[in-house]
């Protein structure tokens, strides 16, 4: 009786609240991840899936990926796409956050309207930008022709360089509100007395920005960049709807290439290996994020 009372004591009551969520995560997240890791060490394709012959090949799938040109391009595309999106959406979001932190008429309603791109489902945004960058009926080509900037329609989504540009534009449009709202929240935590003291001491706006705003926003900026990296690096639906990884595999990301290997080429084990590379990178970034946030709380 004493042991049972200890289990249900106030000190342990939190465990019982967390337990249902833990069980759910283990069944629907943990189990698939473990199975995917096991699958990456096997040789499973459309030929032996039904028969159940799953021979362990250990690291053979990973060594094949090292020599796979499309995989290397997908890894490079994912990294470059993520960095480009982070840079532009952070800078624009930062400027907008500073702008809307000022008190003027309609500041709050307009800031609320700017959150709409982030609230729209990703597939809807992808379809919208696919139409915007369409060759014959696209709004972008129509506007450029109207301003006499181009004489012929640009094939945005069927040319390697311009296809990646269109993907970056779409994701930046989605990510700007996310950056803006988090940075705006960080700005509200800075005491106004610091700015008042700085103005009394004769500090200008530029000096105040670099001496007060940026240093005090450091934890917010770190969180925005790391979370933005995680959300952008695992992109799938935007790329799949707009380009499908084309043209000629030029816009494949790790996620879309994993899908192609698994469900189009039926190389399930190799597709799982690509997914595990993606998981490993995000796991490292996630651990770094936890370290940064815990250090910030300690400070």
């Amino acid at each position: 009786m004493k042991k049972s009372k200890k289990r249900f004591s106030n000190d342990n009551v939190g465990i019982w609240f967390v337990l249902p969520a833990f069980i759910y995560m283990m069944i629907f997240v943990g189990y698939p991840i473990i199975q995917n890791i096991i699958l990456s060490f096997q040789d499973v394709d459309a030929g032996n899936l039904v028969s159940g012959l799953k021979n362990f090949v250990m690291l053979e799938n990973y060594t094949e990926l090292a020599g796979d040109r499309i995989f290397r391009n997908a890894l490079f595309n994912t990294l470059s796409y993520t960095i480009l999106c982070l840079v532009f959406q952070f800078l624009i979001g930062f400027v907008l956050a500073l702008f809307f932190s000022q008190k003027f008429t309609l500041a709050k309603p307009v800031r609320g309207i700017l959150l709409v791109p982030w609230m729209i489902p990703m597939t809807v945004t992808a379809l919208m930008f696919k139409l915007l960058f369409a060759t014959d009926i696209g709004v972008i080509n129509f506007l450029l022709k109207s301003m006499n900037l181009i004489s012929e329609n640009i094939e945005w989504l069927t040319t390697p360089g311009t296809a990646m540009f269109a993907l970056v534009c779409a994701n930046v449009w989605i990510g700007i509100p996310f950056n803006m709202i988090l940075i705006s929240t960080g700005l509200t935590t800075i005491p106004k007395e610091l700015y008042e003291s700085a103005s009394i001491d004769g500090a200008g706006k530029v000096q105040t920005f670099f001496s007060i705003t940026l240093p005090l926003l450091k934890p917010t900026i770190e969180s925005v960049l790391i979370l933005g990296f995680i959300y952008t690096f695992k992109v799938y639906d935007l790329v799949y709807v707009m380009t499908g990884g084309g043209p000629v595999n030029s816009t494949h990301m790790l996620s879309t290439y994993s899908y192609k290997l698994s469900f189009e080429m039926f190389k399930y084990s190799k597709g799982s290996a690509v997914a595990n590379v993606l998981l490993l990178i995000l796991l490292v970034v996630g651990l770094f994020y936890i370290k940064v946030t815990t250090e910030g709380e300690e400070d």
Side-chain angles (χ1 to χ4, degrees):
M1 290 295 291
K2 290 183 178 180
K3 290 183 178 180
S4 61
K5 285 182 179 180
K6 286 183 179 180
R7 290 175 183 174
F8 290 94
S9 64
N10 292 331
D11 295 335
N12 298 326
V13 69
I15 298 175
W16 297 103
F17 283 106
V18 173
L19 187 60
F22 176 77
I23 295 173
Y24 176 87
M25 292 294 291
M26 289 302 297
I27 294 174
F28 294 100
V29 178
Y31 177 75
I33 290 176
I34 293 171
Q35 286 297 314
N36 191 71
I37 294 172
I38 295 173
L39 183 61
S40 68
F41 293 111
Q42 297 174 333
D43 180 20
V44 180
D45 54 25
N48 59 13
L49 179 66
V50 178
S51 62
L53 297 174
K54 300 178 180 179
N55 298 321
F56 277 90
V57 293
M58 303 311 292
L59 298 176
E60 185 176 324
N61 291 311
Y62 293 96
T63 54
E64 287 183 8
L65 287 180
D68 189 342
R69 182 182 59 83
I70 300 177
F71 169 76
R72 294 197 302 269
N73 288 339
L75 180 59
F76 174 78
N77 287 341
T78 308
L79 289 171
S80 58
Y81 168 83
T82 302
I83 293 171
L84 285 172
C85 290
L86 279 181
V87 169
F88 286 105
Q89 67 190 23
F90 175 76
L91 291 177
I92 299 172
F94 199 108
V95 172
L96 289 176
L98 292 174
F99 177 73
F100 286 108
S101 65
Q102 309 297 319
K103 293 183 180 179
F104 61 91
T105 308
L106 299 178
K108 291 182 179 180
V110 174
R111 184 169 60 182
I113 293 172
L114 289 177
L115 288 175
V116 172
W118 188 56
M119 299 169 64
I120 296 175
M122 186 72 79
T123 51
V124 176
T125 301
L127 288 171
M128 182 176 67
F129 271 86
K130 189 174 184 178
L131 291 174
L132 286 173
F133 283 100
T135 303
D136 297 323
I137 61 172
V139 176
I140 304 296
N141 280 334
F142 174 77
L143 292 175
L144 293 176
K145 272 191 171 181
S146 301
M147 293 184 289
N148 295 321
L149 296 176
I150 59 173
S151 57
E152 296 182 358
N153 289 331
I154 300 175
E155 297 182 356
W156 295 100
L157 300 177
T158 54
T159 306
T162 55
M164 183 61 74
F165 172 78
L167 290 174
V168 171
C169 289
N171 195 75
V172 167
W173 188 77
I174 296 168
I176 287 173
F178 174 77
N179 286 259
M180 181 190 69
I181 197 65
L182 289 185
I183 295 171
S184 296
T185 305
L187 288 171
T188 59
T189 61
I190 301 176
K192 295 181 180 179
E193 291 79 6
L194 294 177
Y195 294 107
E196 294 174 357
S197 300
S199 63
I200 293 172
D201 293 336
K205 290 186 177 180
V206 176
Q207 189 177 359
T208 303
F209 175 76
F210 285 102
S211 300
I212 297 176
T213 306
L214 274 184
L216 293 179
L217 275 181
K218 183 182 176 181
T220 303
I221 292 173
E222 290 174 346
S223 298
V224 169
L225 291 177
I226 296 173
L227 288 175
F229 183 93
I230 294 172
Y231 294 152
T232 307
F233 197 83
K234 64 181 182 64
V235 64
Y236 168 76
D237 36 12
L238 183 71
V239 179
Y240 184 78
V241 173
M242 287 186 66
T243 64
V248 199
N249 299 319
S250 61
T251 60
H252 261 310
M253 308 294 170
L254 289 177
S255 56
T256 56
Y257 187 49
S258 175
Y259 177 87
K260 179 180 180 179
L261 286 171
S262 299
F263 301 107
E264 293 181 10
M265 302 175 66
F266 305 109
K267 297 180 179 180
Y268 302 110
S269 294
K270 196 173 179 180
S272 298
V274 176
N276 288 331
V277 172
L278 176 62
L279 174 65
L280 179 62
I281 295 173
L282 291 179
L283 180 62
V284 171
V285 176
L287 293 174
F288 177 73
Y289 172 69
I290 293 173
K291 181 182 178 182
V292 169
T293 52
T294 51
E295 286 181 352
E297 291 175 359
E298 291 174 359
D299 294 338

